[in-house]
């Protein structure tokens, strides 16, 4: 069985400063994998490098059997890779509906485009109500939902979420994570979740990696890591 | 009374021309966030393009639209690709580059024409329409119709086509647009091409009205800056309505005060608007700040 995503010895950074110092991770199809760690550990850089926003300085990124390390961000949605950036980064002066349409930009004009719009609003009923509103007027939770729905519009095989819990109330965090889990289980979507909220991330994921100063320092089943005393002390404030 | 009405009509007709010139400038600023100092020179090149079509092919300026507008589109795409794109990420240098283009275009045309003033006569130039006792020059009326059509088309395009929506997405968040699969550099080339095509349209339509000189762009660009700030940065209807407001103000002030005050009046409006409402009359409040945010 080949991995959905395999990262081998990845180095990346800004200018001379290295942020990722030899990261290797592997994600199986249909898995939810979380990458947890402190602020500044390299989590966002990892996702941005996979998504083609940053260039890797060395190492390999193999997605769906193809090395995508040299591809640029706009080429990836058509291949089935989607990133939900931190804060959602919706288009604030476009309506919810227009934001969703942009999510499907890579397959515009295809017959699936219209049905995808319908499917997504069924999956996220709140977005149907807000359809004509500017995305900039949504609440934090709605914004995150809309950003995830927008990514789903491209019909991805793998979806990466950067800190989806940031700025949300605990109740909303629970709802967003439940939704991510349902997406993965019902659509067979592979999920890579990057989080500072370690407890929630471990609760929803199958496996997890702990990243620190640009290196993977621990990996294992999420349940095992969640009960690990060292992890609890370092990241969960227990 | 009919005197004032006459002045307002003159102002509206002038406003149509200002609106047409401002629309491309505003489009380029709104999407790419570059103040295109060479925009007046693109209008000037459009005028000389119409003259070339007349001189070489004997075409009426209105017929030469089918050559000048597509040619200017291609020219705009090339400028974006080979001059501005290599400077992407350095907005200051891009603005200096457009200023460099301004000087190059002016001097190249000056060298080629040796400063001789040309006009591109049209069969329609001498036709005057009588509307309720007010005489209106047909060529100016055509410019007014053209700016209305251009505004309608542009606002329809960005609201109703995927390509137009993608351009708006690029305007609002470049990185997020890339993540949607939108080729941002390509959107920029298209936008600069469209802005240059609008300048070409404006230049061709005013070719029968004004005597050409290599520096004529400067006469229009100052008005266009006032129009854009008044109407709203990046707003299609802002450029449209702003053009009329500036045109009418200029005509009224020119008649009752002094025509030589027109530049002072443009900039009084320009500065006053920036102080009172920086987003302009039709700009979305807060939208102007997007340009200040990190864009990558």
């Amino acid at each position: 069985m080949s991995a959905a995503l395999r990262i081998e010895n990845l180095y990346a950074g800004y200018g001379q400063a290295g942020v990722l110092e030899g990261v290797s991770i592997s994600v199986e199809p249909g898995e939810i994998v979380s990458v947890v760690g402190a602020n500044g550990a390299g989590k966002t850089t990892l996702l941005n490098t996979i998504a083609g926003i940053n260039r890797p300085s060395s190492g390999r990124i193999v997605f769906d059997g193809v090395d995508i390390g040299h591809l640029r961000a706009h080429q990836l949605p058509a291949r089935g890779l989607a990133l939900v950036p931190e804060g959602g980064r919706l288009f604030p002066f476009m309506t919810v509906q227009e934001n969703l349409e942009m999510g499907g930009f890579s397959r515009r004009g295809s017959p699936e485009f219209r049905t995808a719009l319908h499917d997504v609003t069924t999956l996220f009923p709140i977005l149907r109500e807000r359809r004509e509103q500017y995305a900039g007027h949504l609440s934090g939770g709605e914004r995150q939902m809309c950003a995830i729905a927008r990514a789903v519009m491209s019909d991805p095989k793998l979806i990466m979420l950067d800190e989806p819990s940031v700025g949300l109330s605990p109740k909303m965090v629970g709802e967003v994570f439940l939704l991510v889990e349902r997406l993965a289980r019902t659509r067979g979507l592979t999920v890579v979740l990057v989080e500072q909220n370690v407890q929630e991330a471990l609760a929803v994921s199958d496996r997890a990696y702990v990243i620190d100063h640009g290196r993977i320092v621990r990996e294992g089943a999420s349940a095992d890591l969640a009960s690990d005393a060292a992890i609890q002390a370092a990241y969960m404030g227990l | 009374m009919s005197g004032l009405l006459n002045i307002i009509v003159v102002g509206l007709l002038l406003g149509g021309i200002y609106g047409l010139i401002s629309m491309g400038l505003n489009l380029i600023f709104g999407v790419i966030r570059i103040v295109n100092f060479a925009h007046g020179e693109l209008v000037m090149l459009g005028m000389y393009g119409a003259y070339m079509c007349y001189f070489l092919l004997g075409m009426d300026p209105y017929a030469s639209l089918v050559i000048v507008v597509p040619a200017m589109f291609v020219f705009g795409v090339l400028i974006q690709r080979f001059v501005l794109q290599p400077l992407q990420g350095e907005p200051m240098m891009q603005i200096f580059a457009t200023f460099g283009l301004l000087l190059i275009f002016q001097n190249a045309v000056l060298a080629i024409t040796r400063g001789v003033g040309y006009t591109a006569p049209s069969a329609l130039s001498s036709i005057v329409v009588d509307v309720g006792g007010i005489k209106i020059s047909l060529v100016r009326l055509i410019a007014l119709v053209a700016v209305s059509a251009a505004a309608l088309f542009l606002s329809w395009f960005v609201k109703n086509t995927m390509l137009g929506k993608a351009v708006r997405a690029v305007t609002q968040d470049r990185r997020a647009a890339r993540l949607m699969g939108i080729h941002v550099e390509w959107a920029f080339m298209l936008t600069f091409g469209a802005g240059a095509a609008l300048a070409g349209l404006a230049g061709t339509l005013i070719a029968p009205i004004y005597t050409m000189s290599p520096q004529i762009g400067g006469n229009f660009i100052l008005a266009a800056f006032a129009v854009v700030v008044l109407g709203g940065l990046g707003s299609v209807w802002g450029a449209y309505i702003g053009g009329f407001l500036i045109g009418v103000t200029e005509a009224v002030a020119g008649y009752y005060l002094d025509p030589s005050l027109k530049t002072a009046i443009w900039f009084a409006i320009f500065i006053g608007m920036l102080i009172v409402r920086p987003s302009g009359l039709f700009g979305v409040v807060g939208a102007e700040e997007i340009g200040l945010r990190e864009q990558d």
Side-chain angles (χ1 to χ4, degrees):
Chain A
M1 178 156 186
S2 73
L5 177 70
R6 201 173 65 246
I7 291 162
E8 297 168 1
N9 208 21
L10 186 68
Y11 283 77
Y14 307 93
Q16 292 298 313
V19 179
L20 301 180
E21 313 243 2
V23 170
S24 297
I25 69 175
S26 177
V27 183
E28 299 301 320
E31 252 190 329
I32 303 180
V33 168
S34 55
V35 178
V36 297
N39 210 358
K43 304 189 299 290
T44 294
T45 305
L46 175 62
L47 290 196
N48 284 346
T49 309
I50 299 170
I53 290 171
N54 299 343
R55 299 265 172 150
S57 40
S58 71
R60 269 160 54 89
I61 304 169
V62 181
F63 171 65
D64 210 19
V66 183
D67 190 338
I68 58 164
H70 61 285
L71 293 182
R72 298 178 54 204
H74 69 265
Q75 299 172 304
L76 291 168
R79 291 173 177 262
L81 186 77
L83 167 65
V84 180
E86 185 175 344
R89 291 186 86 140
L90 296 174
F91 304 113
F93 303 111
M94 293 173 86
T95 64
V96 167
Q97 161 120 8
E98 287 173 331
N99 268 277
L100 295 177
E101 287 173 10
M102 286 299 103
F105 187 80
S106 58
R107 49 182 187 147
R108 62 193 180 282
S110 74
E112 296 86 35
F113 180 80
R114 283 288 137 203
T115 52
L117 210 54
H118 177 80
D119 288 355
V120 160
T121 44
T122 311
L123 215 56
F124 301 80
I126 184 73
L127 297 181
R128 182 173 299 172
E129 285 170 39
R130 300 271 185 269
R131 198 167 63 222
E132 298 300 328
Q133 273 186 26
Y134 273 161
H137 294 165
L138 297 178
S139 72
E142 290 165 351
R143 206 171 293 178
Q144 194 55 246
M145 296 279 189
C146 187
I148 295 171
R150 187 175 69 172
V152 169
M153 277 296 294
S154 67
D155 193 25
K157 297 178 192 132
L158 186 145
I159 186 167
M160 303 188 286
L161 302 157
D162 192 358
E163 307 267 11
S165 74
V166 161
L168 302 188
S169 68
K171 178 170 168 289
M172 211 57 232
V173 172
E175 266 180 54
V176 167
F177 278 45
L178 202 68
L179 199 112
V180 168
E181 195 170 8
R182 212 174 68 202
L183 272 175
R185 305 302 179 220
T186 60
R187 298 188 138 223
L189 207 62
T190 312
V191 177
V192 175
L193 174 68
V194 147
E195 263 297 343
Q196 278 188 73
N197 191 335
V198 177
Q199 204 154 2
E200 291 281 357
L202 292 180
V204 72
S205 57
D206 304 309
R207 285 191 309 118
Y209 292 85
V210 180
I211 189 169
D212 189 29
H213 290 95
R215 290 189 174 84
I216 300 294
V217 291
R218 287 289 304 273
E219 62 175 286
S222 297
D224 295 345
L225 291 180
S227 57
D228 185 298
I231 302 270
Q232 287 178 347
Y235 299 106
M236 292 157 71
L238 296 175
Chain B
M1 191 57 220
S2 89
L4 180 63
L5 198 61
N6 241 319
I7 291 160
I8 288 175
V9 169
V10 166
L12 287 175
L13 292 171
L14 191 61
I17 290 169
Y18 288 162
L20 203 51
I21 290 164
S22 308
M23 212 160 275
L25 180 74
N26 212 6
L27 181 68
I28 290 169
F29 179 79
V31 178
I32 317 178
R33 298 279 152 186
I34 292 176
V35 179
N36 177 24
F37 277 101
H39 202 74
E41 278 55 44
L42 294 178
V43 174
M44 180 267 290
L45 289 177
M47 295 178 82
Y48 280 94
Y51 177 76
M52 293 274 284
C53 289
Y54 161 75
F55 182 73
L56 297 174
L57 306 167
M59 291 173 92
D60 191 275
Y62 293 100
S64 69
L65 280 174
V66 297
I67 295 176
V68 174
V69 173
M72 288 300 289
F73 177 84
V74 172
F75 191 53
V77 168
L78 295 176
I79 291 175
Q80 173 62 30
R81 174 64 189 84
F82 294 106
V83 180
L84 299 176
Q85 206 184 94
L87 299 172
Q88 201 167 310
E90 299 180 75
M92 276 319 220
M93 295 312 292
Q94 287 182 318
I95 291 172
F96 287 134
T98 67
F99 196 73
L101 289 174
L102 174 156
L103 294 173
I104 291 170
F105 295 157
Q106 272 192 10
N107 287 296
V109 173
L110 184 64
I112 293 166
T113 63
R114 308 211 170 268
V116 178
Y118 295 109
T119 49
S122 165
L124 309 178
S125 294
S126 55
I127 300 178
V128 173
V129 190
D130 195 310
V131 181
I134 296 170
K135 296 198 183 339
I136 297 173
S137 135
L138 182 61
V139 288
R140 285 175 186 266
L141 193 61
I142 289 172
L144 190 111
V145 171
V147 69
S148 309
L152 278 171
F153 175 78
L154 266 184
S155 61
W156 171 84
F157 185 81
V158 298
K159 275 216 163 58
N160 295 289
T161 67
M162 279 299 269
L163 205 55
K165 289 178 198 178
V167 167
R168 278 162 63 213
V170 167
T171 308
Q172 295 175 25
D173 192 329
R174 287 180 197 177
R175 176 181 289 186
R178 286 186 209 281
L179 292 174
M180 302 299 105
I182 298 166
H183 195 324
V184 171
E185 286 70 29
W186 198 77
F188 284 175
M189 284 190 261
L190 190 74
T191 303
F192 207 99
L198 281 167
L201 174 70
T204 311
L205 293 184
I206 63 176
I209 303 175
Y210 297 94
T211 302
M212 288 167 218
S213 77
Q215 292 86 16
I216 196 167
N219 297 352
F220 298 119
I221 198 71
L222 293 180
F225 281 140
V227 166
V228 164
V229 167
L230 177 65
L233 299 172
S235 156
V236 170
W237 292 107
Y240 183 74
I241 305 291
F244 291 129
L245 289 175
I246 295 285
V248 170
T249 309
E250 182 182 323
V252 170
Y255 186 79
Y256 290 103
L257 298 172
D258 188 339
S260 59
L261 278 176
K262 74 175 183 187
T263 313
I265 287 161
W266 293 340
F267 279 89
I269 293 173
F270 181 93
I271 292 167
M273 203 63 199
L274 280 178
I275 293 169
V276 177
R277 192 179 149 90
S279 55
L281 293 175
F282 295 88
V284 180
V285 176
E288 80 280 3
E289 284 168 10
I290 283 181
L292 305 175
R293 222 174 53 197
E294 161 225 23
Q295 288 273 6
D296 42 27

